[in-house]
């Protein structure tokens, strides 16, 4: 069976919406939030069909997952986000998260048979593109197509499509305004475009059936569902007082960025040995910046920060808690933290300071305690020298893909090894590290840095560096390893 014998996709927008095409990404879809939440595990259920048909769908649909930060979980019962029905002569899908719909009706229809094996791959990719929120490419205003409308109408109003005139016009002749498009690049190789024969146009414009994701498709879906990313930045040696050091984070994808202190080279100008340091992020011109700011009587010579872009993943939560002065009782500040949404099972949580004010003795210790699926207790141990502290926390699902481990170094043991061979990290992980505990002699400069080394799929080393006579009695940190 050739391509000309197979009905093409009949795209399904929500019933109360007017159709809206997209180039590579379309502004209206974003505004109406047809995308699934980042990191979603989409439950997919086959309503009928043989195991052979099911496996053929899984094989082709998985191609999107190489570039999009979503996951497919095929289920045989219960509610499903995407419900697939085999049969008929047409191919169709609901748009993005409107696929949820009534559970007793299909959200995707695939006209697969034993005769479609050679051509069905592009159809499956196309329909799953719709299910992820992609809309037809050929309805952009900048395609350059001058349609031979009588010819096109005659073709699509006859077998195998048998569309009424209104449907042909809706699917091919109604482009969208440029203001509705975010992308400015037309992609004739997109899996989301119809084939256009040269005789269908008056100016010879044409393109064939695309069978694979184009480079632009891959880039677009990666922007639509960006993967988490992590890295680190070092300021280089500077001598700054009061003025922040500002560094652009070029590899972040969203504003959802968290930073941790990985290294400090600073000293105090006061007789009380005051040390005030704050690490944070800011946004300007669509870019994310790392700001490292020394406070009163503090000179920051160098700073190193870890950063992680959590890409608004629905399973990654984070927040900030500030403490100042002496606790109401005891020697610990504590704060109950409730997750924005509860986890199915107890998550992993890491906590670390991002701003601190100390004098006479440089000492702090921050950690998470009493972790449940609904929240945890953030703890900051207190000493009279600790004037104020801002604590940042990140929670992650306990699904085997994330490895969080605290460490403590003191005396001569300023290094260690971490084994994550029992975790399902699926390759060499990226590493986020942040100092969470410190005890240093305040009469000398604070020069300390933690760093990963020799990272492999099953293990890594960590080191604590000190220099120029800095007296570090104890330093601790948290390590998050995952395949970013």
């Amino acid at each position: 069976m050739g391509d000309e014998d197979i009905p093409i996709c009949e795209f399904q927008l929500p019933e109360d919406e007017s159709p809206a095409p997209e180039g590579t990404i379309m502004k209206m879809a974003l505004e109406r939030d047809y995308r699934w939440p980042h990191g979603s595990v989409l439950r997919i259920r086959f309503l009928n069909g043989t195991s052979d048909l099911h496996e053929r769908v899984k094989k082709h649909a998985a191609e999107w997952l190489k570039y999009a930060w979503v996951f497919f979980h095929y289920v045989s019962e219960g509610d499903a986000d995407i419900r697939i029905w085999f049969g008929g002569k047409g191919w169709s899908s609901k748009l993005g998260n409107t696929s949820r719909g009534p559970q007793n009706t299909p959200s995707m229809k695939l006209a697969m048979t034993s005769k479609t094996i050679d051509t069905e791959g592009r159809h499956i990719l196309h329909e799953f593109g719709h299910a992820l929120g992609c809309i037809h490419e050929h309805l952009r205003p900048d395609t350059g197509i001058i349609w031979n409308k009588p010819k096109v109408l005659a073709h699509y109003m006859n077998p195998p499509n048998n569309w009424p005139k209104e449907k042909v016009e809706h699917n091919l002749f109604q482009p969208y305004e440029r203001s509705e498009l975010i992308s400015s690049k037309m992609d004739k190789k997109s899996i989301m475009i119809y084939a256009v024969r040269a005789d269908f146009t008056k100016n010879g414009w044409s393109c064939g059936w695309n069978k694979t994701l184009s480079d632009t498709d891959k880039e677009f879906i990666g922007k639509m569902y960006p993967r988490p990313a992590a890295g680190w930045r070092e300021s280089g040696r500077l001598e700054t007082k009061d003025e922040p050091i500002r560094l652009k984070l070029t590899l972040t994808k969203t504003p959802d960025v968290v930073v941790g202190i990985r290294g400090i080279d600073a000293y105090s100008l006061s007789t009380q040995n005051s040390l005030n340091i704050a690490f944070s992020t800011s946004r300007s011109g669509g870019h994310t910046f790392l700001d490292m700011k020394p406070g009163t009587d503090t000179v920051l010579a160098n700073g190193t920060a870890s950063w992680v872009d959590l890409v608004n993943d629905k399973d990654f939560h984070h927040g900030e808690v500030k403490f100042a002065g002496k606790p109401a009782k005891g020697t610990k500040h504590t704060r109950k933290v409730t997750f924005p949404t509860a986890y199915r099972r107890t998550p992993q949580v890491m906590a670390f300071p991002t701003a601190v004010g100390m004098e006479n003795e440089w000492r702090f210790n921050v950690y998470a305690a009493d972790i449940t699926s609904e929240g945890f207790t953030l703890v900051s141990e207190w000493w009279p020298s600790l004037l104020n502290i801002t604590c940042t926390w990140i929670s992650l699902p306990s699904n085997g893909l994330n490895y969080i481990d605290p460490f403590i170094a003191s005396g001569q043991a300023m290094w260690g090894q971490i084994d994550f061979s029992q975790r399902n990290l699926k390759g060499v992980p990226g590493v986020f590290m942040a100092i969470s505990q410190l005890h240093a002699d305040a009469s000398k400069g604070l020069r300390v840095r933690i760093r990963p080394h020799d990272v492999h799929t099953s293990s890594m080393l960590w080191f604590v560096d000190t220099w120029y006579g800095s007296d570090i009695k104890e330093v601790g940190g948290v390590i998050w390893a995952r395949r970013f």
Side-chain angles (χ1 to χ4, degrees):
M1 181 178 286
D3 282 325
E4 290 295 325
D5 301 315
I6 303 175
I8 63 175
C9 168
E10 179 183 337
F11 178 56
Q12 296 184 30
L13 277 163
E15 292 182 0
D16 61 344
E17 304 288 0
S18 58
E22 65 120 49
T24 304
I25 184 171
M26 188 248 340
K27 189 173 182 181
M28 190 178 81
L30 293 177
E31 290 177 341
R32 295 178 185 267
D33 201 18
Y34 292 158
R35 290 176 297 177
W36 303 93
H38 296 170
S40 290
V41 179
L42 303 181
R43 291 170 59 88
I44 303 174
R45 180 159 53 92
F46 296 108
L47 301 181
N48 65 343
T50 65
S51 59
D52 176 62
L53 289 176
H54 300 174
E55 292 305 313
R56 282 152 58 184
V57 170
K58 294 177 184 179
K59 172 187 173 183
H60 293 292
E63 186 68 15
W64 284 108
L65 302 185
K66 296 178 181 179
Y67 313 100
W69 186 244
V70 292
F71 306 88
F72 294 159
H73 177 50
Y74 293 89
V75 299
S76 57
E77 59 185 8
D79 288 353
D81 301 300
I82 298 171
R83 299 161 308 286
I84 300 174
W85 183 80
F86 298 92
K89 296 182 178 180
W91 305 76
S92 65
S93 174
K94 298 284 188 181
L95 172 63
N97 59 27
T98 64
S99 296
R100 290 192 180 104
Q103 289 296 309
N104 60 348
T105 61
S107 64
M108 183 182 297
K109 297 178 181 178
L110 304 177
M112 292 171 60
T113 68
S114 60
K115 298 180 181 181
T116 62
I117 293 178
D118 293 337
T119 57
E120 67 193 20
R122 69 171 180 82
H123 289 284
I124 296 168
L125 283 173
H126 184 99
E127 301 311 331
F128 270 84
H130 286 322
L132 291 174
C134 304
I135 307 180
H136 286 141
E137 181 80 5
H138 55 271
L139 292 178
R140 295 172 55 95
D142 58 350
T143 61
I145 300 174
I146 302 175
W147 292 105
N148 183 341
K149 292 187 178 182
K151 187 84 173 182
V152 175
L153 288 168
H155 176 82
Y156 285 108
M157 291 174 68
N158 286 295
N161 290 284
N162 296 311
W163 285 355
K165 181 180 179 181
E166 294 76 15
K167 185 172 289 185
V168 180
E169 292 177 341
H170 162 79
N171 279 278
L172 286 105
F173 300 156
Q174 296 177 2
Y176 279 75
E177 297 295 329
R178 186 178 297 274
S179 61
E180 293 176 302
L181 301 174
I182 293 176
S183 172
S184 60
K185 181 180 180 182
M186 168 63 190
D187 182 20
K188 293 177 70 171
K189 296 181 179 180
S190 173
I191 197 67
M192 302 310 299
I193 197 170
Y194 286 180
V196 179
R197 292 183 350 203
D199 62 327
F200 281 5
T201 68
K202 295 181 178 180
N203 58 347
W205 196 103
S206 67
C207 69
W209 289 113
N210 297 316
K211 299 179 180 180
T212 60
L213 301 183
S214 70
D215 290 343
T216 303
D217 288 335
K218 297 171 185 177
E219 180 183 3
F220 157 64
I221 206 67
K223 290 180 178 178
M224 201 170 181
Y225 297 99
R227 301 178 65 87
W232 62 278
R233 284 298 308 270
E234 184 174 10
S235 67
R237 187 153 186 86
L238 300 166
E239 295 281 338
T240 181
K241 177 180 177 292
D242 297 328
E243 293 299 320
I245 299 172
R246 198 170 200 225
L247 304 173
K248 185 177 179 181
L249 300 178
T250 58
L251 299 180
T252 59
K253 304 171 185 178
T254 75
D256 193 28
V257 178
V258 176
V259 297
I261 300 173
R262 210 173 101 175
I264 298 174
D265 182 349
Y267 58 91
S268 176
L269 298 176
S270 74
T271 57
Q272 291 82 25
N273 292 319
S274 298
L275 192 73
N276 298 277
I277 298 288
F279 283 33
S280 61
T281 62
S282 59
R283 294 279 295 177
S284 179
H287 301 289
T288 299
F289 292 86
L290 164 66
D291 298 316
M292 296 182 280
K293 183 173 177 27
T296 304
D297 295 325
T298 300
V299 175
L300 179 61
N302 195 352
T304 305
S306 288
W307 61 264
V308 59
D309 186 349
L310 299 175
V311 301
N312 300 299
D313 187 298
K314 67 183 185 65
D315 289 328
F316 297 163
H317 303 316
H318 65 90
E320 212 177 66
V321 176
K322 297 181 180 181
F323 299 114
K326 184 179 179 180
K329 61 180 180 177
T331 58
K332 296 178 181 179
H333 285 288
T334 61
R335 181 76 56 83
K336 288 285 188 180
V337 175
T338 301
F339 301 129
T341 55
Y343 289 87
R344 292 184 177 180
R345 55 179 177 168
T346 303
Q348 302 176 85
V349 181
M350 55 183 173
F352 44 89
T354 46
V356 62
M358 304 173 286
E359 64 181 15
N360 294 322
E361 184 183 32
W362 297 341
R363 195 170 189 180
F364 58 76
N365 186 19
V366 174
Y367 55 92
D370 305 324
I371 304 171
T372 70
S373 61
E374 296 182 347
F376 68 99
T377 300
L378 195 148
V379 181
S380 174
E381 295 189 1
W382 177 82
W383 291 269
S385 59
L386 183 59
L387 306 179
N388 57 77
I389 190 167
T390 299
C391 308
T392 295
W393 61 268
I394 301 175
S395 62
L396 312 163
S398 299
N399 56 13
L401 297 175
N402 302 296
Y403 181 92
I404 291 181
D405 194 53
F407 67 87
I408 299 176
S410 60
Q412 300 300 313
M414 289 297 196
W415 69 278
Q417 184 175 23
I418 293 178
D419 179 6
F420 33 73
S421 59
Q422 302 304 309
R423 299 300 180 101
N424 185 27
L425 298 186
K426 297 184 178 180
V428 178
V431 176
F432 174 93
M433 301 180 72
I435 296 172
S436 59
Q437 182 176 348
L438 178 70
H439 186 191
D441 188 340
S443 66
K444 302 177 182 180
L446 178 60
R447 301 177 183 91
V448 62
R449 177 177 58 222
I450 59 175
R451 58 182 173 88
H453 180 71
D454 206 18
V455 181
H456 295 288
T457 56
S458 60
S459 66
M460 63 168 279
L461 299 174
W462 55 263
F463 286 89
V464 176
D465 300 325
T466 64
W467 60 99
Y468 293 160
S470 184
D471 185 4
I472 305 298
K473 303 180 185 302
E474 190 173 64
V475 63
V478 288
I479 294 174
W480 173 20
R482 74 161 292 138
R483 184 76 181 276
F484 288 103

